[in-house]
Amino acid sequence: MRAVNALSQFSSLFKHIGTLLTGNILASVANFVSIALLANQLSARDFGVFVLLQSYIIVLGAVFNPQAWQGFIKFATTHSDNLHQIIKHTWRYDLALAGGGFLVAATGAPLYLRLVGISDEYLVVLQTMSLYIFFNQTSLCIGLLRLRDEFKVLALQNVIASMLFLGLVLIGMTMEKSTSYFSLCYAFSLIIGLCYINFKGLLSVRKLGNQQPIVDFDIKRRLRKFNLYAHATSISDIPIKQLDTVLVGVVLSVEMSGVYKVMKQIGTLTNKLTGPITQVLYPELNKCLAQKNSQRFNAIFIKMTCLLLVAALPFAAILGLTSEYWLEIIFSDYIAKYAFEMSLFLFIHAIATSFVAIHPAYLAIGYVRSLFYITVLCNVVFIAALYLLGKEFALIGVVAAVGVQYLFTLVCKAIPLYLEVKRWRVKI
């Protein structure tokens, strides 16, 4: 009977992962086609400008996105009686950062353009794109939808945004539009996807009814502390996740930032495999902890890691070994010159994503403070390696810096997580 229940639980888990995976694959294909079309349509310089404008709103969007859904899920699973209080705190946090983030992005746009060497003619375009940061505050909605297992809604967000952008790119190509048009279309597509998820999330809030909230100042204090550390961790991880394209442009050239963007876009094909797993794993692992079910916690972690090793490595190997041929066909001769760098990047990326389950497991256990310190240290290592190796070995050095950061992060998280699991077993 226990085996049947366990099988049923894992079946539900894989169903949610499959839902997100389907949406991510559709979104990934659409984004891949869009980037390929733009790389062929625009010159190397104009494509680099598009990438750097895109990077600005993505980076600042990450700075002012508090990632408060992590704290929301963690506390909502263990303090359901205080759900309205947790919702209220998360909602206020989102709104405060939405307004502040947009103002900073709009006023900082001129400085950024001068820093990366882009003409002031793109100033109004970049300030308009900054509206994305205002709409990017979705912590409450994402937390509620994930907690309620409404993963179809989460999957549709990416599909809507990516398909809309692809359609606008095709229209722009037939009308021979400029870089400004494609940049604005990118931001507009993201905003439409965010409006959809906010609308669905707010409907979930209404379903909760108007129960009398229970105020617990200790929970409020601990939730605020958790969110501050989670937000600080998210900000400190920006150089690796979002700012790397800009750093490549500064250390090497605008054209190289465009090449690196293509590499990252192809690398995210493996992320489309792992992204749904982390989104499903985090609330599930929190439920295991709330129920004191250490056996299921360990089983989920081990099975997912083995599954990813089997899936990601062959996929990356096939893409890497054949990159010399399809890069020229899909993108351009200029991009195809960096086939070796592409292969190396895909291999490193596949190794890292195979062990992606370590990240939600580490956070679910509650190591939010040490996670912040690890993230800061890993990003410092990445920036130093990028500058030193990039200056010496150009794009190969950049890829090597990515590999150094991946390895350093995994080691820093794996050791304390192993010790915690070992302590758990002894205690049980």
Side-chain angles (χ1 to χ4, degrees):
M1 188 66 180
R2 289 177 60 187
V4 173
N5 290 336
L7 184 61
S8 175
Q9 289 175 339
F10 275 104
S11 175
S12 175
L13 201 62
F14 283 118
K15 180 182 178 181
H16 296 324
I17 291 172
T19 299
L20 289 175
L21 182 59
T22 302
N24 277 0
I25 288 174
L26 291 173
S28 180
V29 170
N31 285 330
F32 182 83
V33 173
S34 299
I35 293 297
L37 291 173
L38 288 175
N40 280 281
Q41 177 77 6
L42 303 174
S43 66
R45 172 75 185 181
D46 287 341
F47 183 65
V49 169
F50 167 79
V51 168
L52 291 175
L53 293 178
Q54 175 194 59
S55 298
Y56 180 75
I57 63 168
I58 294 299
V59 169
L60 286 183
V63 170
F64 290 96
N65 189 326
Q67 299 294 319
W69 61 267
Q70 299 172 1
F72 177 84
I73 289 176
K74 184 168 185 63
F75 281 79
T77 53
T78 54
H79 301 89
S80 57
D81 291 341
N82 302 88
L83 187 57
H84 280 80
Q85 180 182 348
I86 295 168
I87 288 174
K88 188 176 180 180
H89 170 83
T90 308
W91 180 247
R92 287 179 174 178
Y93 201 1
D94 275 344
L95 284 180
L97 289 168
F102 171 70
L103 290 176
V104 170
T107 55
L111 178 63
Y112 175 76
L113 293 179
R114 288 195 296 271
L115 178 65
V116 297
I118 298 178
S119 171
D120 285 341
E121 68 178 284
Y122 293 101
L123 177 58
V124 176
V125 172
L126 189 55
Q127 289 176 329
T128 305
M129 291 173 69
S130 298
L131 284 170
Y132 158 79
I133 298 165
F134 181 83
F135 288 94
N136 192 39
Q137 311 310 316
T138 55
S139 295
L140 173 61
C141 298
I142 288 176
L144 271 172
L145 293 170
R146 287 179 179 172
L147 201 59
R148 289 172 167 268
D149 293 337
E150 296 186 38
F151 292 101
K152 288 183 180 179
V153 176
L154 295 167
L156 276 174
Q157 177 203 359
N158 291 329
V159 174
I160 290 171
S162 57
M163 294 301 293
L164 178 59
F165 181 54
L166 175 58
L168 293 172
V169 167
L170 292 172
I171 293 172
M173 290 179 64
T174 58
M175 301 177 66
E176 298 184 353
K177 293 291 186 177
S178 65
T179 306
S180 297
Y181 166 84
F182 294 116
S183 300
L184 289 171
C185 286
Y186 174 77
F188 174 74
S189 302
L190 291 179
I191 289 172
I192 294 299
L194 291 169
C195 287
Y196 170 75
I197 202 112
N198 276 314
F199 173 73
K200 288 293 187 178
L202 292 177
L203 286 181
S204 293
V205 174
R206 290 190 62 184
K207 292 177 183 178
L208 296 175
N210 297 316
Q211 301 172 7
Q212 183 66 29
I214 301 173
V215 178
D216 187 324
F217 291 103
D218 182 60
I219 291 176
K220 187 176 181 180
R221 178 187 60 80
R222 289 190 288 122
L223 176 58
R224 184 186 296 113
K225 183 178 179 181
F226 187 98
N227 282 338
L228 287 174
Y229 272 113
H231 193 184
T233 301
S234 176
I235 292 174
S236 61
D237 208 25
I238 285 173
I240 293 170
K241 289 188 174 178
Q242 285 91 16
L243 197 59
D244 53 349
T245 305
V246 178
L247 291 173
V248 171
V250 173
V251 173
L252 299 180
S253 66
V254 173
E255 290 78 8
M256 283 296 97
S257 69
V259 176
Y260 182 74
K261 174 63 178 178
V262 170
M263 292 171 60
K264 280 195 68 177
Q265 190 68 40
I266 296 170
T268 54
L269 292 174
T270 55
N271 276 348
K272 299 308 173 185
L273 222 87
T274 59
I277 294 177
T278 57
Q279 291 180 44
V280 174
L281 279 188
Y282 181 68
E284 192 64 29
L285 291 173
N286 273 285
K287 292 174 184 176
C288 291
L289 292 174
Q291 298 164 3
K292 296 182 172 25
N293 192 345
S294 60
Q295 186 176 1
R296 177 168 166 76
F297 183 96
N298 294 335
I300 290 174
F301 178 82
I302 293 170
K303 288 184 178 181
M304 288 303 171
T305 301
C306 293
L307 175 66
L308 288 173
L309 280 169
V310 172
L313 289 178
F315 184 68
I318 293 171
L319 283 179
L321 292 173
T322 59
S323 61
E324 184 178 356
Y325 306 101
W326 54 262
L327 278 175
E328 183 175 356
I329 296 173
I330 298 176
F331 293 97
S332 63
D333 295 340
Y334 180 74
I335 302 292
K337 291 191 297 184
Y338 300 95
F340 175 75
E341 289 86 344
M342 174 68 71
S343 302
L344 183 61
F345 178 83
L346 289 174
F347 176 74
I348 292 172
H349 194 69
I351 292 291
T353 52
S354 296
F355 293 92
V356 74
I358 198 172
H359 306 304
Y362 193 86
L363 184 60
I365 285 179
Y367 288 160
V368 65
R369 180 183 295 183
S370 61
L371 180 62
F372 167 67
Y373 296 136
I374 290 172
T375 304
V376 170
L377 184 58
C378 289
N379 276 267
V380 170
V381 169
F382 172 69
I383 293 172
L386 175 64
Y387 181 81
L388 295 174
L389 297 176
K391 285 289 187 182
E392 185 68 25
F393 303 105
L395 199 56
I396 292 180
V398 172
V399 175
V402 173
V404 169
Q405 177 269 322
Y406 278 157
L407 179 61
F408 195 78
T409 302
L410 288 175
V411 170
C412 287
K413 291 182 180 179
I415 294 175
L417 187 60
Y418 169 77
L419 294 175
E420 178 65 20
V421 171
K422 186 177 180 181
R423 185 188 66 82
W424 240 11
R425 288 178 178 174
V426 172
K427 185 177 179 180
I428 292 172

